[in-house]
């Protein structure tokens, strides 16, 4: 189990590892988000395996990738897209299995984990919960200052999940419940929502940075 006090110097940003789960294509992104909402892409990858492979081997691919990325980048938070059952049940089941592997990888390292719905992610990044993939990708490019769109689409989706989590509730990992915590247009609810004496070192540093950014 990794040491959660991974940083020895003052921190002014939250590092989020986000996962767009799937067995064939699983997007994994690491993004640093400052208290003034500025985001910087650290790394992104899409892993997966053919549908002809045994399910155990397919899950092992994702498990190994998660272990590698969590150990390498040591994020403060983990954010994973929450899926709902629709018509394509086999796909949903596979997505849920991939999500479980990612959640377990984070739990082994005591990384706070949040689940965000696609609508929450779209609303946070584009302002509309019904935005399409092209709109999400376009906003991800603008937010990160990228000249080219991340490829494939799962990469952009994973990045959007990371940004949405930090912007809409990354301090506690509760999604929309803490949506205004990092908004510079509203007073911070961080200190009143939770006594500062109960915060982790990373959370205290984040709060201090948020105050300086106002």
């Amino acid at each position: 189990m990794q040491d959660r006090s991974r940083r020895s110097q003052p921190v002014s940003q939250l590092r989020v590892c986000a996962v767009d789960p799937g067995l064939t294509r699983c997007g994994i992104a690491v993004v640093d988000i400052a208290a003034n909402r500025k985001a910087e892409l650290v790394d992104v990858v899409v892993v997966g395996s053919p549908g002809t492979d045994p399910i155990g081997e397919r899950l092992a691919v994702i498990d190994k990738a998660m272990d590698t990325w969590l150990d390498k980048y040591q994020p403060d938070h983990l954010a994973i897209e929450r899926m709902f059952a629709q018509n394509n049940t086999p796909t949903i089941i596979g997505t849920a299995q991939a999500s479980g592997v990612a959640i377990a990888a984070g739990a082994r390292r005591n990384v706070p984990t949040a689940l965000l719905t696609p609508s929450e992610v779209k609303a946070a990044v584009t302002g509309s919960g019904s935005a399409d993939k092209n709109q999400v990708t376009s906003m991800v490019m603008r937010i990160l200052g990228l000249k080219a769109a991340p490829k494939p689409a799962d990469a952009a989706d994973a990045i959007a999940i990371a940004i949405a989590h930090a912007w809409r509730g990354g301090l506690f990992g509760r999604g929309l419940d803490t949506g205004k915590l990092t908004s510079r247009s509203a007073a911070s609810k961080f200190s009143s929502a939770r006594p500062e004496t109960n915060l982790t070192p990373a959370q205290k540093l984040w709060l201090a940075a948020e105050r300086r950014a106002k």
Side-chain angles (χ1 to χ4, degrees), residues 22-26 46-50 53 58 61-62:
L23 293 176
T24 303
R25 295 181 304 278
C26 181
V46 176
V47 301
S49 54
D53 289 354
R58 303 190 75 189
V61 168
I62 297 172

Side-chain angles (χ1 to χ4, degrees), residues 13 30-34 37-43 143-144 163:
Q13 60 191 13
V30 175
V31 182
D32 286 341
I33 301 97
R37 298 169 69 92
K38 182 178 180 181
E40 179 180 359
L41 177 63
V42 177
D43 204 352
I143 292 168
L144 297 177
I163 295 171

Side-chain angles (χ1 to χ4, degrees), residues 7-101:
R7 291 165 172 163
S8 57
Q9 67 274 7
V11 181
S12 60
Q13 60 191 13
L14 189 74
R15 172 162 290 183
V16 180
C17 177
V19 180
D20 180 32
L23 293 176
T24 303
R25 295 181 304 278
C26 181
I28 307 173
V30 175
V31 182
D32 286 341
I33 301 97
N36 63 0
R37 298 169 69 92
K38 182 178 180 181
E40 179 180 359
L41 177 63
V42 177
D43 204 352
V44 64
V45 70
V46 176
V47 301
S49 54
T52 53
D53 289 354
I55 184 61
E57 293 181 10
R58 303 190 75 189
L59 294 173
V61 168
I62 297 172
D63 189 49
K64 181 178 180 180
M66 288 300 304
D67 281 344
T68 298
W69 276 59
L70 291 176
D71 288 341
K72 181 178 181 179
Y73 295 111
Q74 299 186 37
D76 299 302
H77 280 221
L78 177 63
I80 303 170
E81 185 174 88
R82 183 199 303 270
M83 298 300 297
F84 293 96
Q86 297 177 352
N87 294 328
N88 196 348
T89 303
T91 299
I92 295 298
I93 292 175
T95 300
Q97 291 170 330
S99 297
V101 169

Side-chain angles (χ1 to χ4, degrees), residues 166-183:
W167 282 8
R168 307 197 69 166
L171 291 172
F172 294 130
R174 293 199 317 238
L176 293 173
D177 290 349
T178 52
K180 295 182 179 179
L181 285 176
T182 57
S183 173

Side-chain angles (χ1 to χ4, degrees), residues 129-143:
S130 59
D132 60 28
K133 282 186 174 292
N134 289 335
Q135 290 173 306
V136 171
T137 299
S138 177
M139 285 304 300
V140 165
M141 292 174 60
R142 290 180 59 183
I143 292 168

